[in-house]
Amino acid sequence: MELITTVNELLSELNKRKQYIIDWENPDMYLNHLEYHSASGLFPGGGINPARGDGSDNVYCFFKAV
């Protein structure tokens, strides 16, 4: 989660400066932000970690038009 937050801060700064990370296959789109959807599980101390998003344990990339 910490890594996703850091990447999103970097993307936000780059996008404000119009220094976009362009999608290789669709150059009319740029990377806008990432989202991490975590699966549920148990913490080492025995607590329950609830699922976030769709619970798929994936990172999703969201794009916007340039």
Side-chain angles (χ1 to χ4, degrees):
M1 211 46 207
E2 201 173 309
L3 182 58
I4 297 298
T5 302
T6 303
V7 170
N8 281 334
E9 288 173 7
L10 174 63
L11 286 172
S12 176
E13 191 61 37
L14 288 171
N15 294 342
K16 277 191 255 182
R17 297 176 185 198
K18 297 188 179 187
Q19 299 295 315
Y20 304 120
I21 297 178
I22 303 295
D23 182 0
W24 179 263
E25 294 178 353
N26 187 359
D28 294 337
M29 304 293 282
Y30 69 91
L31 183 58
N32 184 276
H33 71 281
L34 303 178
E35 286 183 11
Y36 174 57
H37 294 203
S38 65
S40 62
L42 297 175
F43 288 121
I48 296 174
N49 181 19
R52 292 184 188 98
D54 61 6
S56 62
D57 208 26
N58 287 315
V59 174
Y60 292 95
C61 301
F62 291 87
F63 295 84
K64 271 191 165 180
V66 175

